[in-house]
Every structure is written in structure tokens, then in C-alpha cells.
Amino acid sequence: MPFNKMIIVLLVGLLSACGTGNQINANNGVMKKEVAAENPMQNEIAAKVHPSIEMMEENNSTIINYKVKNISGGPIKLSFTSGLQADYIVYDEKGKKVKQYSDEVMSTQAITEMTFDNNQEIQNSFTISDLYNGTYKIEVFLTAEEEQAKVVMDLLVEKSLFTKASGVFTGQIDPHSFEVDIKGEKVAFQLKEEAIQQMSSLKDGSEIWFVYTENEIQKTIEKFLLE
């Protein structure tokens, strides 16, 4: 083989070897990233509790069954700042808080502690009877300092006694009733005490939103939905 051709062959061999070495290093780097991605730090921390919710509508109310199970493999200490073990918050379709259980119930303020044994369940049931028909989100959680076990779920209310409606306020009939124009039809409503106290915020000819109940005799506005 001529000398010039030998030099060319040697150079090609060296360049090919260098390229192969770079390719191996690159692949090793990619593999390390993939392994790290498949094993994030959060997966190394095992869940201690398993919360769940069951919901059903019954007798014009929504019943919420909330359970938390200890799956840690050992006992967990829980500290409560009141006699209330669990709480919930309901949000409307716009994300505005509609109600919170702890705002409406009385509970003791004494600090209590409990040992939550492995495989033990904490159960709490709530009955919500004053939501109007519509879609919500409900957030249920423990009030313990060490663990909230929060669950957030969609809540659909279809069998409530309460209905949300809107119309144009056309005038007050008497201190306990007034008239609303709903899609061209004038409808008379009685007013509950909470609605009467909100009357000062309304103006004739303005669009209003309200929650009402209905029976065979009359329609009654429970409250106005004010911004």
C-alpha cells in the first residue's frame, strides 16, 4: 500500500474511534437522566394515610361519608385543637366559598390527642341540606396538626329544595314580598328574614340573583346572591 493511502486510512480510523467514544458518553448521560426521572424523591416517601369520600343525595340533602385509613404500618399520633376531627369547605362553580362546616357548628376548644393505629379508620359523616341545585367542589380534611388527609371532589346537587334563579327586580309589593321579571313573566315572591335584611342593597330595574324554595302555595326567596 502506498504511504499516502496508509496515512488516510489511519486518520479515518482515528476519527471513527473518536466519534464512537462521544456517542457512548452521550448515551450514558441520557440513561442517567431517565433513571433519575423514573425515581423522583417524592416516590421515596410512602403515603401514611388513605382518605376517601362517598357522596349520595337522600331526602333533599347531600350526605358526605369521609374516611381516613392508616396505611403507614405503625401508629400515628394525631393532635386536634378542638372537638372537631374533620371539616369541609364547599366552593361554587366560580371558586367562591359557599360554606364551611366549622363556621356553622359549635365545638370545644380543648386540645385532644389520639393514637391512630395501623389499619384503623377514622370516619366522619356530614349532611348538607341548604345547597341549591348546581355544581360545586367540596374539600374535606382532618383538623389534626400532623395530618390533613385532604380530598377534593366535584359535587353535583340535583335534588335540593333550593333553586338558584335570576331576574329583574321590578318593585316591592309589601315588606315581606316583591316582584321579579323572569324572562318577561312577572313573578311574586315571599321573602325570608335573611332576604328582607338584604333588600337595601337592591335597586328597581336591576338584575338580581337569588335562591328560592317553592310549594303549592307560593315561592319564597331564602336569600339574595350578592357580590
Coordinates of all heavy atoms in Angstrom, one line a residue, residues 34-99:
E34 N -32.8 9.5 32.6 CA -34.0 8.7 32.6 C -34.2 8.0 33.9 O -35.3 7.9 34.4 CB -34.0 7.7 31.4 CG -34.2 8.4 30.0 CD -34.0 7.4 28.9 OE1 -33.7 6.3 29.2 OE2 -34.3 7.8 27.7
V35 N -33.2 7.4 34.4 CA -33.3 6.7 35.7 C -33.7 7.7 36.8 O -34.6 7.4 37.6 CB -32.0 6.0 36.1 CG1 -32.0 5.5 37.5 CG2 -31.7 4.9 35.1
A36 N -33.1 8.9 36.8 CA -33.5 9.9 37.8 C -34.9 10.3 37.7 O -35.6 10.5 38.7 CB -32.6 11.1 37.7
A37 N -35.4 10.4 36.4 CA -36.8 10.8 36.2 C -37.8 9.8 36.7 O -38.9 10.1 37.1 CB -37.0 11.1 34.7
E38 N -37.4 8.5 36.5 CA -38.3 7.4 36.9 C -38.3 7.2 38.5 O -39.2 6.5 39.0 CB -37.8 6.1 36.3 CG -38.1 6.1 34.8 CD -37.5 4.9 34.1 OE1 -36.8 4.1 34.9 OE2 -37.6 4.7 32.9
N39 N -37.4 7.8 39.2 CA -37.3 7.6 40.6 C -37.3 9.0 41.3 O -36.3 9.3 41.9 CB -36.1 6.8 41.0 CG -36.2 5.4 40.5 OD1 -36.9 4.6 41.0 ND2 -35.5 5.2 39.4
P40 N -38.3 9.9 41.2 CA -38.3 11.2 41.9 C -38.3 11.0 43.4 O -38.7 10.0 43.9 CB -39.6 11.8 41.4 CG -40.5 10.7 41.0 CD -39.5 9.6 40.5
M41 N -37.8 12.0 44.0 CA -37.7 11.9 45.5 C -39.1 11.7 46.2 O -39.2 11.0 47.2 CB -37.1 13.2 46.0 CG -36.8 13.2 47.5 SD -36.0 14.8 48.0 CE -34.5 14.7 47.1
Q42 N -40.2 12.3 45.6 CA -41.5 12.1 46.2 C -41.9 10.7 46.3 O -42.7 10.3 47.2 CB -42.5 12.9 45.5 CG -42.7 12.5 44.1 CD -43.6 13.5 43.3 OE1 -43.7 14.6 43.7 NE2 -44.2 13.0 42.3
N43 N -41.5 9.8 45.4 CA -41.9 8.4 45.4 C -41.2 7.6 46.5 O -41.6 6.5 46.8 CB -41.5 7.8 44.0 CG -42.5 8.2 42.9 OD1 -43.5 8.8 43.2 ND2 -42.1 8.0 41.7
E44 N -40.1 8.2 47.1 CA -39.4 7.5 48.1 C -40.1 7.7 49.5 O -39.8 7.0 50.4 CB -38.0 8.1 48.2 CG -37.1 7.9 47.0 CD -35.8 8.5 47.1 OE1 -35.5 9.2 48.2 OE2 -35.0 8.5 46.1
I45 N -41.1 8.6 49.5 CA -41.9 8.9 50.7 C -43.2 8.1 50.6 O -44.1 8.5 49.8 CB -42.1 10.4 51.0 CG1 -40.7 11.1 51.0 CG2 -42.8 10.6 52.3 CD1 -40.9 12.6 51.1
A46 N -43.4 7.1 51.3 CA -44.6 6.3 51.3 C -45.8 7.0 51.9 O -45.6 7.7 52.9 CB -44.4 4.9 52.0
A47 N -47.0 6.9 51.4 CA -48.2 7.5 52.0 C -48.4 6.9 53.3 O -48.3 5.7 53.5 CB -49.3 7.3 51.0
K48 N -48.8 7.8 54.3 CA -49.1 7.3 55.6 C -50.6 7.0 55.8 O -51.0 6.1 56.6 CB -48.7 8.3 56.6 CG -47.2 8.5 56.7 CD -46.8 9.5 57.8 CE -45.3 9.7 57.9 NZ -45.0 10.7 59.0
V49 N -51.4 7.7 55.1 CA -52.9 7.6 55.2 C -53.6 7.5 53.9 O -53.0 8.0 52.9 CB -53.5 8.7 56.1 CG1 -52.9 8.7 57.5 CG2 -53.3 10.0 55.4
H50 N -54.7 6.9 53.8 CA -55.5 6.9 52.6 C -56.9 7.5 52.9 O -57.7 6.8 53.5 CB -55.7 5.4 52.1 CG -56.6 5.3 50.9 ND1 -56.2 5.8 49.7 CD2 -57.8 4.8 50.8 CE1 -57.2 5.6 48.8 NE2 -58.2 4.9 49.5
P51 N -57.2 8.7 52.4 CA -58.5 9.3 52.5 C -59.4 9.0 51.4 O -59.0 8.7 50.3 CB -58.2 10.8 52.6 CG -57.0 10.9 51.7 CD -56.2 9.6 51.8
S52 N -60.8 8.9 51.7 CA -61.7 8.7 50.6 C -63.1 9.3 51.0 O -63.3 9.6 52.1 CB -62.0 7.1 50.4 OG -62.5 6.6 51.6
I53 N -63.9 9.6 49.9 CA -65.2 10.2 50.1 C -66.2 9.4 49.4 O -66.0 8.9 48.3 CB -65.2 11.6 49.6 CG1 -64.4 12.6 50.5 CG2 -66.6 12.2 49.5 CD1 -64.4 14.0 50.0
E54 N -67.4 9.2 50.0 CA -68.6 8.7 49.4 C -69.7 9.7 49.5 O -69.9 10.2 50.6 CB -69.0 7.3 50.0 CG -68.0 6.2 49.8 CD -68.5 4.9 50.5 OE1 -69.5 5.0 51.3 OE2 -67.8 3.9 50.4
M55 N -70.4 10.0 48.4 CA -71.4 11.0 48.4 C -72.8 10.4 47.9 O -72.7 9.6 46.9 CB -71.0 12.2 47.6 CG -69.8 12.9 48.1 SD -69.4 14.4 47.2 CE -68.9 13.7 45.6
M56 N -73.9 10.9 48.4 CA -75.2 10.5 47.9 C -76.2 11.5 48.3 O -76.1 12.2 49.4 CB -75.6 9.1 48.4 CG -75.7 9.0 49.9 SD -75.8 7.3 50.4 CE -77.1 7.0 51.1
E57 N -77.2 11.6 47.5 CA -78.4 12.5 47.8 C -79.5 11.7 48.4 O -79.9 10.7 47.8 CB -78.8 13.3 46.6 CG -77.8 14.4 46.1 CD -78.4 15.3 45.1 OE1 -79.2 16.2 45.5 OE2 -78.1 15.1 43.9
E58 N -80.1 12.2 49.5 CA -81.1 11.5 50.2 C -82.0 12.5 50.9 O -81.5 13.4 51.7 CB -80.5 10.5 51.1 CG -81.5 9.5 51.8 CD -80.8 8.5 52.6 OE1 -80.2 7.6 52.0 OE2 -80.8 8.6 53.8
N59 N -83.3 12.4 50.8 CA -84.3 13.3 51.5 C -83.9 14.8 51.3 O -83.8 15.5 52.3 CB -84.3 12.9 53.0 CG -84.8 11.5 53.2 OD1 -85.6 11.0 52.5 ND2 -84.2 10.9 54.2
N60 N -83.6 15.2 50.1 CA -83.3 16.5 49.7 C -82.0 17.1 50.4 O -81.9 18.3 50.5 CB -84.5 17.5 50.1 CG -85.8 17.1 49.4 OD1 -85.8 16.9 48.2 ND2 -86.8 16.9 50.2
S61 N -81.2 16.2 50.7 CA -79.9 16.5 51.4 C -78.8 15.8 50.7 O -79.0 14.7 50.1 CB -79.9 16.3 52.9 OG -80.9 17.0 53.5
T62 N -77.6 16.3 50.8 CA -76.4 15.6 50.3 C -75.6 15.0 51.5 O -75.3 15.8 52.5 CB -75.5 16.5 49.6 OG1 -76.2 17.0 48.4 CG2 -74.2 15.8 49.0
I63 N -75.3 13.7 51.5 CA -74.6 13.1 52.6 C -73.2 12.8 52.2 O -73.0 12.2 51.1 CB -75.4 11.8 53.0 CG1 -76.8 12.1 53.5 CG2 -74.6 11.1 54.2 CD1 -77.6 10.9 53.8
I64 N -72.2 13.2 53.0 CA -70.8 13.0 52.7 C -70.3 12.1 53.8 O -70.3 12.4 55.0 CB -70.1 14.4 52.8 CG1 -70.7 15.4 51.9 CG2 -68.6 14.2 52.4 CD1 -70.7 15.2 50.5
N65 N -69.7 10.9 53.3 CA -69.0 10.0 54.2 C -67.5 10.1 53.9 O -67.1 9.8 52.8 CB -69.6 8.6 54.0 CG -71.0 8.4 54.4 OD1 -71.4 8.9 55.5 ND2 -71.8 7.7 53.7
Y66 N -66.8 10.5 54.9 CA -65.4 10.7 54.8 C -64.6 9.7 55.6 O -64.9 9.6 56.8 CB -65.1 12.2 55.2 CG -63.6 12.5 55.3 CD1 -62.7 12.5 54.2 CD2 -63.1 13.0 56.5 CE1 -61.4 12.8 54.4 CE2 -61.8 13.4 56.7 CZ -60.9 13.3 55.6 OH -59.6 13.7 55.7
K67 N -63.7 9.0 55.0 CA -62.9 8.0 55.8 C -61.4 8.2 55.6 O -61.0 8.6 54.5 CB -63.3 6.6 55.3 CG -64.7 6.2 55.5 CD -64.9 4.8 55.0 CE -66.4 4.4 55.2 NZ -66.6 3.0 54.6
V68 N -60.6 8.0 56.6 CA -59.2 8.1 56.5 C -58.6 6.8 57.2 O -58.9 6.5 58.3 CB -58.6 9.3 57.2 CG1 -57.1 9.3 57.1 CG2 -59.2 10.6 56.7
K69 N -57.8 6.1 56.4 CA -57.3 4.8 56.9 C -55.8 5.0 57.1 O -55.1 5.5 56.2 CB -57.6 3.7 56.0 CG -57.1 2.3 56.5 CD -57.5 1.2 55.5 CE -57.1 -0.2 56.1 NZ -57.5 -1.3 55.2
N70 N -55.2 4.5 58.2 CA -53.8 4.5 58.5 C -53.2 3.3 57.7 O -53.4 2.1 58.0 CB -53.6 4.3 60.0 CG -52.1 4.3 60.3 OD1 -51.2 4.3 59.5 ND2 -51.8 4.3 61.6
I71 N -52.3 3.6 56.8 CA -51.6 2.5 56.0 C -50.1 2.6 56.2 O -49.4 2.1 55.3 CB -52.0 2.6 54.5 CG1 -51.7 4.0 53.9 CG2 -53.5 2.3 54.3 CD1 -51.8 4.1 52.4
S72 N -49.7 3.3 57.2 CA -48.3 3.6 57.4 C -47.5 2.3 57.9 O -46.3 2.3 57.8 CB -48.1 4.7 58.4 OG -48.5 4.3 59.7
G73 N -48.2 1.3 58.5 CA -47.5 0.2 59.0 C -47.3 0.3 60.5 O -46.7 -0.6 61.1
G74 N -47.6 1.4 61.1 CA -47.4 1.7 62.5 C -48.4 2.7 63.0 O -49.1 3.4 62.3
P75 N -48.4 3.0 64.3 CA -49.3 4.0 64.9 C -48.8 5.4 64.5 O -47.6 5.7 64.3 CB -49.2 3.8 66.4 CG -47.8 3.2 66.6 CD -47.5 2.4 65.4
I76 N -49.8 6.3 64.4 CA -49.6 7.8 64.2 C -50.2 8.6 65.3 O -51.4 8.4 65.6 CB -50.1 8.2 62.8 CG1 -49.5 7.4 61.7 CG2 -49.9 9.7 62.6 CD1 -50.2 7.6 60.3
K77 N -49.5 9.5 65.8 CA -50.1 10.4 66.8 C -50.8 11.6 66.1 O -50.2 12.2 65.2 CB -49.0 11.0 67.7 CG -49.5 12.0 68.8 CD -48.3 12.5 69.6 CE -48.8 13.6 70.5 NZ -47.7 14.2 71.3
L78 N -52.0 11.9 66.5 CA -52.8 13.0 65.9 C -53.2 13.9 67.0 O -53.7 13.5 68.1 CB -54.0 12.5 65.2 CG -53.7 11.6 63.9 CD1 -55.1 11.2 63.3 CD2 -52.9 12.3 62.9
S79 N -53.0 15.2 66.8 CA -53.4 16.2 67.8 C -54.5 17.2 67.2 O -54.3 17.7 66.1 CB -52.2 17.1 68.2 OG -51.2 16.2 68.7
F80 N -55.6 17.3 67.9 CA -56.7 18.2 67.4 C -56.8 19.3 68.4 O -56.8 19.2 69.6 CB -58.0 17.4 67.4 CG -57.9 16.2 66.5 CD1 -57.6 14.9 67.0 CD2 -58.2 16.3 65.1 CE1 -57.5 13.8 66.1 CE2 -58.2 15.2 64.3 CZ -57.8 13.9 64.8
T81 N -57.0 20.5 67.8 CA -57.1 21.7 68.6 C -58.6 22.0 69.1 O -58.8 22.9 69.8 CB -56.6 23.0 67.9 OG1 -57.4 23.1 66.6 CG2 -55.2 22.8 67.5
S82 N -59.5 21.2 68.7 CA -60.9 21.3 69.1 C -61.5 19.9 69.1 O -60.9 18.9 68.8 CB -61.7 22.3 68.2 OG -61.9 21.7 66.9
G83 N -62.8 19.9 69.4 CA -63.6 18.6 69.4 C -63.9 18.2 68.0 O -64.6 17.2 67.8
L84 N -63.6 19.0 67.0 CA -63.9 18.8 65.6 C -62.8 18.0 64.9 O -61.7 18.5 64.8 CB -64.2 20.1 64.9 CG -64.9 20.0 63.5 CD1 -66.3 19.6 63.8 CD2 -64.9 21.4 62.9
Q85 N -63.0 16.7 64.6 CA -62.0 15.9 63.9 C -61.8 16.2 62.5 O -60.7 16.1 61.9 CB -62.3 14.4 64.1 CG -61.9 13.8 65.4 CD -61.9 12.3 65.4 OE1 -62.5 11.7 64.5 NE2 -61.3 11.7 66.4
A86 N -62.9 16.6 61.8 CA -62.8 16.8 60.3 C -63.7 18.0 60.0 O -64.6 18.4 60.7 CB -63.3 15.6 59.6
D87 N -63.4 18.6 58.8 CA -64.1 19.8 58.4 C -64.2 19.7 56.9 O -63.6 18.9 56.2 CB -63.2 21.0 58.8 CG -64.0 22.3 58.7 OD1 -65.2 22.3 58.4 OD2 -63.4 23.4 59.0
Y88 N -65.1 20.5 56.3 CA -65.2 20.6 54.9 C -65.5 22.1 54.4 O -66.0 22.9 55.2 CB -66.4 19.7 54.3 CG -67.8 20.1 54.7 CD1 -68.4 21.2 54.1 CD2 -68.5 19.4 55.7 CE1 -69.7 21.6 54.4 CE2 -69.8 19.8 56.0 CZ -70.4 20.9 55.3 OH -71.7 21.3 55.6
I89 N -65.1 22.3 53.2 CA -65.4 23.6 52.5 C -66.0 23.3 51.2 O -65.6 22.5 50.4 CB -64.1 24.5 52.4 CG1 -63.4 24.7 53.7 CG2 -64.5 25.8 51.7 CD1 -62.1 25.4 53.5
V90 N -67.1 24.1 50.9 CA -67.8 23.9 49.6 C -67.6 25.2 48.8 O -67.8 26.3 49.3 CB -69.3 23.7 49.8 CG1 -70.0 23.6 48.4 CG2 -69.6 22.4 50.6
Y91 N -67.2 25.0 47.5 CA -66.9 26.2 46.6 C -67.9 26.1 45.4 O -68.2 25.0 45.0 CB -65.5 26.1 46.1 CG -64.4 26.2 47.1 CD1 -63.9 25.0 47.6 CD2 -64.0 27.4 47.6 CE1 -62.9 25.1 48.6 CE2 -62.9 27.5 48.5 CZ -62.4 26.3 49.0 OH -61.4 26.4 50.0
D92 N -68.4 27.2 45.0 CA -69.3 27.2 43.8 C -68.5 27.1 42.5 O -67.3 26.9 42.5 CB -70.2 28.4 43.8 CG -69.5 29.8 43.6 OD1 -68.3 29.7 43.2 OD2 -70.1 30.8 43.9
E93 N -69.2 27.2 41.4 CA -68.6 26.9 40.1 C -67.5 28.0 39.7 O -66.7 27.8 38.9 CB -69.6 26.8 39.0 CG -70.5 28.1 38.8 CD -71.7 28.1 39.6 OE1 -71.8 27.4 40.6 OE2 -72.6 28.9 39.3
K94 N -67.6 29.2 40.4 CA -66.6 30.2 40.2 C -65.5 30.2 41.2 O -64.6 31.0 41.2 CB -67.3 31.6 40.3 CG -68.4 31.8 39.2 CD -69.0 33.2 39.3 CE -70.0 33.4 38.2 NZ -70.6 34.8 38.3
G95 N -65.5 29.2 42.1 CA -64.4 29.0 43.1 C -64.6 29.8 44.3 O -63.7 29.9 45.2
K96 N -65.8 30.4 44.5 CA -66.1 31.2 45.7 C -66.6 30.3 46.8 O -67.4 29.4 46.6 CB -67.2 32.2 45.4 CG -67.6 33.1 46.6 CD -68.6 34.1 46.2 CE -69.1 35.0 47.3 NZ -70.1 35.9 47.0
K97 N -66.1 30.5 48.0 CA -66.5 29.7 49.1 C -68.0 29.9 49.5 O -68.4 31.0 49.7 CB -65.7 29.9 50.4 CG -66.0 29.0 51.5 CD -65.0 29.1 52.7 CE -65.5 30.2 53.7 NZ -64.7 30.2 54.9
V98 N -68.8 28.8 49.5 CA -70.2 28.9 49.8 C -70.4 28.6 51.2 O -71.2 29.3 51.9 CB -70.9 27.8 48.9 CG1 -72.4 27.8 49.3 CG2 -70.8 28.1 47.4
K99 N -69.8 27.6 51.8 CA -70.0 27.3 53.2 C -68.8 26.5 53.7 O -68.1 25.8 53.0 CB -71.3 26.6 53.4 CG -71.4 25.2 52.8 CD -72.8 24.7 52.9 CE -73.0 24.2 54.3 NZ -74.2 24.7 55.0

